[in-house]
Amino acid sequence: VQLQASGGGLVQPGGSLRLSCAASGISLDDYSIGWFRQAPGKEREGVSGITRLGGAMYYANAVKGRFTISRDKNTVHLQMSGLKPEDTAVYYCAPVGGVVHLATMRNLLDKWGQGTQVTVSS
């Protein structure tokens, strides 16, 4: 099983990026999916989650109103707008349990896939 996040890059404050999550070995359609991020020297934190059928989406307060999670055809996206320097981190996706409460949302796999670096800087 391998999860891969892509779409990161260097962007100026206020800019936008669209991250994508793909998987091999499992079907993302079978799971609620969460996006996490880890900034240097900080703990990994849940950023957003979407239920298996896409009926509910959840956002951390820090990104609410700026990020939008969606899913389509075994892919999950995170549209990020109004990016701030504090959004700089490596972003990961994972099939999750407990998607309703992002603070305790947990990766159902025993490892993390490849993340994608997002750097917001002028």
Side-chain angles (χ1 to χ4, degrees):
V1 177
Q2 185 71 29
L3 275 288
Q4 181 164 350
S6 62
L10 172 63
V11 63
Q12 292 186 343
S16 300
L17 285 172
R18 187 184 193 220
L19 306 186
S20 296
C21 175
S24 59
I26 62 169
S27 172
L28 294 183
D29 291 346
D30 292 337
Y31 298 93
S32 296
I33 301 297
W35 282 97
F36 300 78
R37 67 185 181 187
Q38 188 167 22
K42 293 189 176 182
E43 296 283 324
R44 197 180 330 244
E45 62 177 353
V47 173
S48 182
I50 187 167
T51 52
R52 186 173 66 86
L53 297 180
M57 291 76 80
Y58 304 92
Y59 301 95
N61 287 337
V63 307
K64 200 170 293 183
R66 299 187 297 120
F67 290 12
T68 302
I69 191 170
S70 63
R71 65 188 310 160
D72 179 47
K73 297 178 181 178
N74 206 33
T75 304
V76 178
H77 303 286
L78 187 68
Q79 178 68 47
M80 307 187 296
S81 303
L83 283 163
K84 304 176 181 180
E86 51 264 43
D87 295 319
T88 295
V90 179
Y91 284 71
Y92 302 85
C93 60
V96 295
V99 70
V100 175
H101 302 291
L102 295 183
T104 55
M105 182 170 65
R106 62 191 184 279
N107 183 359
L108 294 177
L109 303 179
D110 60 2
K111 62 181 180 179
W112 292 93
Q114 180 176 334
T116 186
Q117 175 72 48
V118 172
T119 303
V120 185
S121 175
S122 54

